[in-house]
Amino acid sequence: MGEQIHFGGLTSSMDLAERAGIAEGWSGVDLCCALGAGMRFLVRFRKVARMTGVDATRAMVDPGVQTLCGGGLADRIAFVEANVLRHRFAGGKVRFRVGRDAWCYVEDKPKLIAEAARLINQKG
Ligand SMILES: C[S@@+](CC[C@H](N)C(=O)[O-])C[C@H]1O[C@@H](n2cnc3c(N)ncnc32)[C@H](O)[C@@H]1O
């Protein structure tokens, strides 16, 4: 799997981004981003302008942040250490949200889906 901790790894990420039509200049949120490799992929290969990742596990977030410092992407990718069910994202309007091999672990799926929808529909 490498750092993209989902089934299919990089190949699957490329396929999904293509199918979703994720385009240059968009901004997005990765709910349950783990190490953030999926966000780095989107910034590097799809030229996404900005990503914010939310993950509840410090053991994922800390190395993810360290990778950014060495990779020159710290100005375009941010991490939030939080439970996606309790964190109310306040980063402004985003064009898309992504979650890979992770939402199955989140207990309250209706609440998760509602938050994901809110992120897309919010103004500003
Ligand atoms: C298999 S990994 C996700 C992989 C990542 N999306 C990727 O594609 O590389 C599952 C992640 O979900 C996170 N997670 C599970 N439940 C969560 C919750 N309620 N809030 C935030 N993160 C959660 C875990 O901390 C873990 O990092």
Short mmCIF file of all heavy atoms in Angstrom, two decimals, residues 3-6 32-34 55-57 60 82-84 100-102 105-106, ligand 1:
data_model
loop_
_atom_site.label_atom_id
_atom_site.label_comp_id
_atom_site.label_asym_id
_atom_site.label_seq_id
_atom_site.Cartn_x
_atom_site.Cartn_y
_atom_site.Cartn_z
N GLU A 3 2.30 4.67 1.51
CA GLU A 3 1.73 5.65 2.44
C GLU A 3 0.26 5.91 2.16
O GLU A 3 -0.42 6.52 2.97
CB GLU A 3 2.53 6.95 2.37
CG GLU A 3 3.91 6.81 2.97
CD GLU A 3 4.63 8.12 3.10
OE1 GLU A 3 4.02 9.17 2.86
OE2 GLU A 3 5.82 8.09 3.44
N GLN A 4 -0.22 5.54 0.99
CA GLN A 4 -1.65 5.68 0.70
C GLN A 4 -2.33 4.42 1.22
O GLN A 4 -2.31 3.38 0.57
CB GLN A 4 -1.89 5.86 -0.80
CG GLN A 4 -1.21 7.11 -1.32
CD GLN A 4 -1.87 7.65 -2.57
OE1 GLN A 4 -3.09 7.70 -2.66
NE2 GLN A 4 -1.08 8.07 -3.52
N ILE A 5 -2.93 4.55 2.40
CA ILE A 5 -3.39 3.37 3.12
C ILE A 5 -4.81 3.02 2.69
O ILE A 5 -5.75 3.03 3.49
CB ILE A 5 -3.30 3.60 4.64
CG1 ILE A 5 -1.95 4.24 5.00
CG2 ILE A 5 -3.44 2.28 5.39
CD1 ILE A 5 -1.86 4.71 6.42
N HIS A 6 -4.97 2.75 1.43
CA HIS A 6 -6.27 2.30 0.95
C HIS A 6 -6.06 1.29 -0.17
O HIS A 6 -5.00 1.27 -0.81
CB HIS A 6 -7.14 3.47 0.47
CG HIS A 6 -6.52 4.28 -0.62
ND1 HIS A 6 -6.00 5.54 -0.41
CD2 HIS A 6 -6.30 4.01 -1.93
CE1 HIS A 6 -5.51 6.01 -1.55
NE2 HIS A 6 -5.67 5.10 -2.48
N CYS A 32 -10.60 11.74 7.39
CA CYS A 32 -9.85 10.54 7.77
C CYS A 32 -8.66 10.37 6.83
O CYS A 32 -8.53 9.37 6.12
CB CYS A 32 -10.72 9.29 7.80
SG CYS A 32 -12.19 9.44 8.83
N CYS A 33 -7.78 11.34 6.86
CA CYS A 33 -6.70 11.44 5.86
C CYS A 33 -5.49 10.58 6.19
O CYS A 33 -4.58 10.46 5.36
CB CYS A 33 -6.26 12.89 5.73
SG CYS A 33 -5.56 13.56 7.26
N ALA A 34 -5.41 10.04 7.43
CA ALA A 34 -4.24 9.26 7.86
C ALA A 34 -2.96 10.06 7.66
O ALA A 34 -2.86 11.19 8.13
CB ALA A 34 -4.21 7.90 7.16
N ASP A 55 -7.92 13.90 10.81
CA ASP A 55 -7.74 12.53 11.27
C ASP A 55 -7.62 12.54 12.79
O ASP A 55 -7.05 13.45 13.37
CB ASP A 55 -6.51 11.87 10.65
CG ASP A 55 -6.59 10.35 10.73
OD1 ASP A 55 -6.32 9.79 11.82
OD2 ASP A 55 -6.94 9.72 9.70
N ALA A 56 -8.16 11.49 13.41
CA ALA A 56 -8.24 11.44 14.87
C ALA A 56 -6.99 10.86 15.52
O ALA A 56 -6.85 10.94 16.74
CB ALA A 56 -9.45 10.60 15.28
N THR A 57 -6.08 10.30 14.74
CA THR A 57 -4.96 9.57 15.32
C THR A 57 -3.66 10.36 15.21
O THR A 57 -3.15 10.59 14.11
CB THR A 57 -4.79 8.20 14.61
OG1 THR A 57 -6.04 7.51 14.68
CG2 THR A 57 -3.71 7.36 15.25
N MET A 60 -0.79 9.21 13.16
CA MET A 60 -0.90 9.45 11.72
C MET A 60 -0.59 10.91 11.39
O MET A 60 0.16 11.22 10.45
CB MET A 60 -2.32 9.12 11.22
CG MET A 60 -2.67 7.67 11.27
SD MET A 60 -1.77 6.79 9.96
CE MET A 60 -2.38 5.13 10.24
N ALA A 82 -8.49 15.52 14.81
CA ALA A 82 -9.84 15.57 15.39
C ALA A 82 -10.67 14.39 14.92
O ALA A 82 -10.39 13.79 13.88
CB ALA A 82 -10.53 16.87 15.00
N ASN A 83 -11.69 14.09 15.70
CA ASN A 83 -12.72 13.14 15.29
C ASN A 83 -13.62 13.84 14.28
O ASN A 83 -14.16 14.92 14.58
CB ASN A 83 -13.52 12.69 16.52
CG ASN A 83 -14.54 11.63 16.20
OD1 ASN A 83 -15.08 11.55 15.10
ND2 ASN A 83 -14.83 10.79 17.18
N VAL A 84 -13.80 13.27 13.12
CA VAL A 84 -14.60 13.94 12.09
C VAL A 84 -16.06 14.16 12.54
O VAL A 84 -16.75 15.02 12.00
CB VAL A 84 -14.59 13.18 10.74
CG1 VAL A 84 -13.23 13.24 10.09
CG2 VAL A 84 -15.06 11.74 10.92
N ARG A 100 -11.06 7.84 1.90
CA ARG A 100 -10.68 6.56 1.30
C ARG A 100 -10.46 5.53 2.39
O ARG A 100 -9.64 5.74 3.28
CB ARG A 100 -9.38 6.72 0.49
CG ARG A 100 -9.35 7.87 -0.51
CD ARG A 100 -10.23 7.64 -1.71
NE ARG A 100 -10.14 6.32 -2.27
CZ ARG A 100 -9.23 5.94 -3.18
NH1 ARG A 100 -8.36 6.79 -3.63
NH2 ARG A 100 -9.23 4.71 -3.65
N ASP A 101 -11.11 4.38 2.25
CA ASP A 101 -10.92 3.26 3.18
C ASP A 101 -10.93 3.70 4.63
O ASP A 101 -10.08 3.31 5.43
CB ASP A 101 -9.59 2.55 2.89
CG ASP A 101 -9.79 1.39 1.91
OD1 ASP A 101 -10.91 1.24 1.41
OD2 ASP A 101 -8.82 0.66 1.67
N ALA A 102 -11.87 4.53 5.00
CA ALA A 102 -11.86 5.07 6.35
C ALA A 102 -13.27 5.28 6.91
O ALA A 102 -13.48 5.11 8.10
CB ALA A 102 -11.10 6.39 6.38
N TYR A 105 -15.01 2.95 9.34
CA TYR A 105 -14.67 2.90 10.76
C TYR A 105 -15.46 3.91 11.58
O TYR A 105 -15.48 3.85 12.80
CB TYR A 105 -13.18 3.18 10.97
CG TYR A 105 -12.26 2.29 10.18
CD1 TYR A 105 -11.42 2.81 9.20
CD2 TYR A 105 -12.25 0.92 10.41
CE1 TYR A 105 -10.58 1.99 8.46
CE2 TYR A 105 -11.41 0.10 9.68
CZ TYR A 105 -10.58 0.64 8.71
OH TYR A 105 -9.76 -0.17 7.98
N VAL A 106 -16.08 4.86 10.93
CA VAL A 106 -16.78 5.94 11.64
C VAL A 106 -18.18 5.44 12.01
O VAL A 106 -18.95 5.03 11.15
CB VAL A 106 -16.85 7.21 10.76
CG1 VAL A 106 -17.60 8.32 11.49
CG2 VAL A 106 -15.43 7.67 10.40
C1 LIG B 1 -7.12 3.13 6.61
S1 LIG B 1 -6.77 4.67 7.31
C2 LIG B 1 -7.23 5.88 6.09
C3 LIG B 1 -6.34 5.94 4.93
C4 LIG B 1 -6.31 7.22 4.15
N1 LIG B 1 -7.63 7.76 3.87
C5 LIG B 1 -5.57 6.94 2.86
O1 LIG B 1 -6.22 6.78 1.83
O2 LIG B 1 -4.34 6.86 2.93
C6 LIG B 1 -8.14 4.97 8.40
C7 LIG B 1 -7.98 6.28 9.15
O3 LIG B 1 -9.26 6.68 9.62
C8 LIG B 1 -9.03 7.41 10.80
N2 LIG B 1 -10.31 7.52 11.52
C9 LIG B 1 -11.17 6.51 11.85
N3 LIG B 1 -12.25 6.99 12.47
C10 LIG B 1 -12.09 8.34 12.54
C11 LIG B 1 -12.87 9.40 13.06
N4 LIG B 1 -14.06 9.19 13.65
N5 LIG B 1 -12.41 10.68 12.94
C12 LIG B 1 -11.22 10.91 12.33
N6 LIG B 1 -10.42 9.95 11.83
C13 LIG B 1 -10.85 8.67 11.93
C14 LIG B 1 -7.95 6.63 11.51
O4 LIG B 1 -7.29 7.42 12.47
C15 LIG B 1 -7.06 6.21 10.36
O5 LIG B 1 -5.98 7.09 10.17
#
